[in-house]
Amino acid sequence: MVGIYKVNFQLIKDSTYIRTEFYKNSSIKSETIGIIKLATDTNWTEDSEGNLYPLTVQGYVFSARGKHITYYKLSKSKKSEGELKRFKQIGLWSFWNEKGNLISQKT
């Protein structure tokens, strides 16, 4: 998380949240819509005698599923906007320069 000062999660409905990342100057770096769910992962580990056994870990994960907006650090103007699904860009994305002028759109 290079360049991120803190991250907040705000419940907006059911299990849908807004994930907000902040720069160190407290301005917003990005806002992402998504869900938080409990995830379970099992890895196999080896003991000192070479026997394998499962090691199960549980934790909460955020999965992007909706609008994602990024902002410039100093001007605080919008840098990009589009849709994310599992942190992959989908659909139309728009990009602006620091003065707020639309510079490109792509899918």
Side-chain angles (χ1 to χ4, degrees):
M1 284 202 248
V2 175
I4 299 172
Y5 176 64
K6 72 177 180 180
V7 176
N8 284 346
F9 293 90
Q10 180 183 359
L11 180 65
I12 54 176
K13 67 176 180 175
D14 302 326
S15 62
T16 303
Y17 290 79
I18 293 180
R19 179 183 189 268
T20 306
E21 294 181 13
F22 295 88
Y23 288 110
K24 285 189 177 185
N25 70 356
S26 296
S27 63
I28 296 174
K29 182 174 184 175
S30 68
E31 297 174 303
T32 309
I33 303 291
I35 63 168
I36 293 178
K37 61 182 179 177
L38 182 63
T40 303
D41 189 23
T42 301
N43 294 307
W44 290 90
T45 188
E46 191 174 324
D47 64 17
S48 60
E49 297 175 4
N51 299 313
L52 290 176
Y53 62 95
L55 178 63
T56 302
V57 179
Q58 283 190 327
Y60 289 94
V61 253
F62 178 80
S63 180
R65 295 201 180 164
K67 186 182 284 189
H68 176 73
I69 303 170
T70 60
Y71 300 91
Y72 285 100
K73 183 176 184 176
L74 298 177
S75 68
K76 301 178 185 175
S77 60
K78 196 183 291 187
K79 186 176 186 178
S80 67
E81 181 176 7
E83 297 283 321
L84 289 177
K85 185 172 185 179
R86 296 188 183 118
F87 289 102
K88 290 186 179 184
Q89 294 179 346
I90 60 172
L92 180 66
W93 277 73
S94 300
F95 301 89
W96 293 267
N97 63 19
E98 286 197 68
K99 294 180 181 179
N101 299 314
L102 183 66
I103 52 175
S104 70
Q105 289 186 310
K106 64 181 179 179
T107 53

